[in-house]
Amino acid sequence: MNATMRRALLLDSVYQVLDNRVFRILLGTVLLLVFLTFAIGFREEEIVLLFGWKSYPYERIIDTFELPLPAGFSEREGLIRLLQKIFVDSVAGSLGITFAIAATAFFIPRMLEKGLADGLFSKPISRASFYLACYLTGVGFVGALAVVLVCGMHVGLLVSSGYSDPGFLWGALTLTYVFAIVHAVSMLIGVFTRSSVAALLLALLFFMVNGCIHGGWTAKEGALQNEEFQRFLADLPPEPGKEREGPPVALVDGLITTLDVLHYVLPKTTEGELITELLRVKITRSEPDFFDPESKLRIQKFAPGTRADRERPAPEVLDLSIATSAARFMTWLRVEEAEDDVRLWLERAPGLSGGRSMSEAMEKRLRDKPGIGKVRRDRTGTRQLSARTVQWEHADDGEVHSRRVFVTSGDEGIVALCLDARADWVPPDADKSRLAEKSGADLVQEIDAAQFEFLHEQFETLEFDEGGNELFGGGGNDPTRHVRQRFGWTAEWKYNAWFSIGSSVAFTALMLLLGIWRMRRIDF
């Protein structure tokens, strides 16, 4: 097939797309989303609409709509990233893929219509070339729309908000990647059924069912980390005071095996977002202020007035050693303006037990230790990490000290952020005027709250690197959190980004080969 024939074949496919009304709707939607990034300006303290027509402070918008901003960013950058996620992942990623399938599902069925097929296949062009030309044209047009959307949004945010995020540009590749998988399935259905309606409906059904299967597998992986669920699968007796509930173990075990098989065999369309975020991080993330390779704990930027102190010797007794002999010291965190009044450090402990189990063991043993008082346990967290807190008081050189430990868990085990301070120590950033108005028990309570807030601000700087963290957001109750924590380039196979891409590309290639095989055997 010479260059002229190839060009004519591609142009014919291009004209089919341009003549499709659904494609025009999709193009209009893309241009509307791009226009919105020009019309909405994100200033330092407020959002400005239509170049100054209306303005709204960030706090009002966040409180009114209860927006789930990603952790570790300012209100401005958090809202911009949320807007990017909604436009690209939700609107373009779900609705957009649906429209794209509708705009391209007719390619093969129309080509196989009796009169048209006779004319096409009488030309000196192989059927495989026809088939691949239709596939590449569909992928190319959706890829072009994705580039227009992502690059247009990037330019719009740069012009109207002065915000540049080069890593966001990877979103265009991800949208094209997901569509390329579904488009191969749509064309295979079209060549077998010769029906545009069947190709459209069955391709959409595949897209939705495939997403549900991987969503179920992701939730299953998170459930397997639950100790009660592990006991259920092992057919162990329930804990005292609890009754065994749920379906038969054999049925659940069979469902788990089925989900595992389907996860490995089917393309991972739902992991496109995770791959995009990994690529984005590679571009935009600078060297962290602190990184521990054992636990994969990362502090991208220390809290104001805090820095690591690796030269100071470790404490004689680690807080995690209350519950485990495997506790290890990581580093001191030196706090300016409070070096003589407070000790702040990080510990780690490998193991399978979660933060809840570790904190429960600490609380139980602390209550039995002499010289320890006011022991209590609670939970807290950020949008990135959840934690169990353990707090108690003890005497040190005749002074009453307050001890707090934030216990969280990653893929490599447990990490603890520990604080030891005089019970009357006031953090540097505390509201001194408010404290001056208090006395007695009220003052003690305010100081206690100020110390907790200080440690919580330090905890907000913690995150785990790929293979151990909540790099992709989500709260502690998010059923996808476990997989999101572990997904990465070097993770084990079922969480591995390279395996996700490779298995999806292999599935797509198989769909194309089957389609070409069927095309060659059609008798007109």
Side-chain angles (χ1 to χ4, degrees), residues 78 84 148 279 291 297 458:
Q84 291 173 332
V148 171
L279 294 170
F291 178 70
L297 180 74
Q458 299 288 336

Side-chain angles (χ1 to χ4, degrees), residues 8-42:
L9 190 61
L10 287 174
L11 284 174
D12 181 69
S13 298
V14 167
Y15 293 145
Q16 287 189 58
V17 175
L18 293 177
D19 191 49
N20 188 277
R21 292 182 180 179
V22 178
F23 176 80
R24 296 174 187 176
I25 294 173
L26 190 57
L27 177 60
T29 303
V30 166
L31 295 178
L32 174 62
L33 295 178
V34 171
F35 169 75
L36 289 177
T37 59
F38 281 91
I40 302 174
F42 293 86

Side-chain angles (χ1 to χ4, degrees), residues 376-453:
R376 65 179 186 267
R377 186 171 63 91
D378 204 344
R379 63 183 300 170
T380 187
T382 65
R383 290 188 177 91
Q384 292 188 101
L385 294 174
S386 60
R388 299 285 173 166
T389 66
V390 184
Q391 180 177 341
W392 68 94
E393 287 187 355
H394 66 99
D396 188 353
D397 293 334
E399 294 182 323
V400 177
H401 276 237
S402 178
R403 194 75 152 248
R404 284 181 172 82
V405 182
F406 280 26
V407 184
T408 190
S409 60
D411 191 29
E412 306 300 325
I414 301 295
V415 168
L417 176 64
C418 310
L419 172 71
D420 183 82
R422 293 199 325 269
D424 61 351
W425 173 69
V426 178
D429 294 336
D431 188 347
K432 305 296 193 304
S433 60
R434 179 181 177 85
L435 292 174
E437 299 173 356
K438 306 293 182 178
S439 62
D442 291 339
L443 178 60
V444 173
Q445 185 176 356
E446 284 293 331
I447 293 177
D448 182 79
Q451 290 187 8
F452 177 86
E453 183 62 27

